[in-house]
Amino acid sequence: MTQTGKALDIAFIQRVLFVILAIAASLLVFKLLGLWLLIFGAIVIATVLRALAEPLIKYTPLNDTLAVLTVLVVVLGFIAVTFTLFGYELTQQAQNLTKQLPAAWEALQVRLQVLGLNDEVQKQLSALGQQAGGLTSKIPLIAGSVFSSLANLLVATIAGIILAINPKKYRDGVVFLFSAEHKERVRDAMNVAGHALRLWFVGQFISMVLVGTLTAVGLSILGVPSALALGMVSGLAQFVPIVGPVVSAGPGLLLAAVSGWQVLIWALVIYVGVSQLESNLITPAVQRRIASIPVIVTLFAVIGFAGLLGPMGVLFAMPLTVIIYTLIRRLYAGEDVTELADEKPQRPARKHRTPKAS
């Protein structure tokens, strides 16, 4: 066999081995999706803790470890005080909500029957009610999933604390995997993505608090039962864009319908009004430092991650989308989404025509 033939055989074998390794790596990534999701959860927690600790590191003599631990103690203390002040009321309203929703569903069916809806619509409503009731048989599975999620949350929290104390060390560990000519570019992209995620989360937290508060106040004025619990549900649902607000409005509208059509209409006005206020005023105000992600990208991201990762994919859809969107804009277009948001489009200067000489 000639030297050229041997070289071709070696090149062919190398390509085949590369394809095999790529397929094996893809299968490994797919099998370990739960692990990658856990790692991403730790990154999100680390990003939040680090964002809160940065002012302490900058303006106080505390080092990174003490600053992160101080923030952790303050956050846990805030949660404890909040539950001390509102925990009993929230618990009572949540328990009442689980009892009120089935009764409200039955009352709504009676009202629809009085209105003379056709039998086909009634069958569809009854089937939907039976499916909702069938969830009771899955309570043990749901409970097991809840305990598993709590265990994963604990692991992610511990890992997040460790990452927040020294993020540069672990960032450089990832950068080390790339070739020398790409190291600086990857490090820069990771820094930009981390900054964008931090800004997004701070803005999202403010948005969640304001939406939950406005919804609770509005429903309380209408006299809708368990308004505080419904407001909390609306606030938490803001973490999942588009889908979350729509789904969270269901229980509130159902309870409002029991009190009459007028209350239902006003409750719908509150939900739609708060949603419009959030999308047109609150979110642009609190997230003005990060370029907005197109709505269609957000929608398909939620659907795609839900299909790929299940309920946890829905929860992490937006943080994952922020990171992927930021990395693509940085690596392929060289753009920083946190700087693009501050740039204002400039109008082109008008050209003055010089009058022609007669």
Side-chain angles (χ1 to χ4, degrees):
M1 185 179 290
T2 63
Q3 290 294 117
T4 304
K6 289 181 179 180
L8 289 174
D9 288 343
I10 293 174
F12 176 75
I13 292 172
Q14 287 176 341
R15 291 192 185 98
V16 171
L17 289 176
F18 177 79
V19 172
I20 293 174
L21 288 174
I23 294 173
S26 300
L27 290 174
L28 183 62
V29 169
F30 182 76
K31 287 289 184 180
L32 297 177
L33 279 179
L35 175 62
W36 303 124
L37 201 59
L38 192 63
I39 292 173
F40 183 74
I43 293 173
V44 171
I45 293 173
T47 301
V48 175
L49 291 176
R50 190 71 188 186
L52 297 174
E54 285 291 345
L56 294 179
I57 297 172
K58 187 175 181 180
Y59 298 109
T60 68
L62 295 177
N63 58 26
D64 291 14
T65 303
L66 291 177
V68 171
L69 292 178
T70 301
V71 166
L72 183 63
V73 171
V74 171
V75 170
L76 292 177
F78 176 77
I79 294 173
V81 170
T82 301
F83 272 96
T84 301
L85 297 175
F86 305 105
Y88 177 77
E89 183 64 24
L90 276 173
T91 303
Q92 290 295 112
Q93 289 198 13
Q95 291 176 351
N96 293 334
L97 197 60
T98 58
K99 298 176 183 178
Q100 292 164 348
L101 287 177
W105 174 255
E106 294 178 2
L108 180 61
Q109 284 186 312
V110 172
R111 286 178 177 270
L112 292 173
Q113 185 66 36
V114 171
L115 290 175
L117 292 178
N118 59 47
D119 294 338
E120 184 61 30
V121 175
Q122 200 65 24
K123 287 179 182 178
Q124 294 297 328
L125 292 173
S126 299
L128 184 60
Q130 290 174 1
Q131 290 177 5
L135 291 175
T136 307
S137 61
K138 299 181 180 180
I139 287 179
L141 294 176
I142 295 174
S145 177
V146 169
F147 282 118
S148 176
S149 299
L150 290 175
N152 290 336
L153 178 62
L154 179 61
V155 173
T157 302
I158 295 173
I161 295 171
I162 296 172
L163 287 173
I165 290 174
N166 193 358
K168 293 182 181 179
K169 175 182 178 181
Y170 300 97
R171 180 206 60 193
D172 292 341
V174 175
V175 173
F176 176 77
L177 300 175
F178 292 85
S179 58
E181 63 268 22
H182 294 119
K183 287 184 186 296
E184 193 57 38
R185 190 180 181 191
V186 172
R187 181 182 290 107
D188 173 68
M190 292 180 69
N191 288 338
V192 172
H195 188 210
L197 181 62
R198 183 183 306 176
L199 292 175
W200 174 84
F201 188 86
V202 172
Q204 193 67 21
F205 177 76
I206 297 172
S207 176
M208 290 166 63
V209 171
L210 291 177
V211 167
T213 302
L214 291 174
T215 303
V217 171
L219 295 178
S220 297
I221 294 173
L222 288 179
V224 177
S226 305
L228 185 60
L230 291 171
M232 183 184 69
V233 171
S234 295
L236 293 175
Q238 285 298 126
F239 197 79
V240 181
I242 302 175
V243 178
V246 174
V247 174
S248 66
L253 294 177
L254 183 59
L255 291 177
V258 178
S259 302
W261 294 109
Q262 187 175 4
V263 178
L264 173 62
I265 292 173
W266 279 110
L268 182 61
V269 168
I270 289 174
Y271 276 109
V272 173
V274 171
S275 177
Q276 291 300 310
L277 186 67
E278 182 272 334
S279 60
N280 295 301
L281 183 62
I282 298 175
T283 296
V286 299
Q287 293 187 357
R288 63 183 182 275
R289 289 292 309 282
I290 179 171
S292 60
I293 298 174
V295 176
I296 193 67
V297 173
T298 301
L299 177 61
F300 283 116
V302 173
I303 296 173
F305 284 119
L308 182 64
L309 304 172
M312 295 301 292
V314 177
L315 183 63
F316 286 124
M318 272 313 294
L320 283 167
T321 303
V322 169
I323 288 181
I324 294 172
Y325 180 77
T326 304
L327 289 176
I328 291 174
R329 294 288 293 267
R330 188 61 173 176
L331 291 174
Y332 290 93
E335 298 173 343
D336 186 344
V337 296
T338 61
E339 293 178 356
L340 289 174
D342 291 334
E343 295 178 0
K344 295 182 179 179
Q346 296 180 353
R347 295 181 179 179
R350 294 181 178 179
K351 295 181 179 180
H352 297 280
R353 295 182 179 180
T354 305
K356 296 181 179 179
S358 56

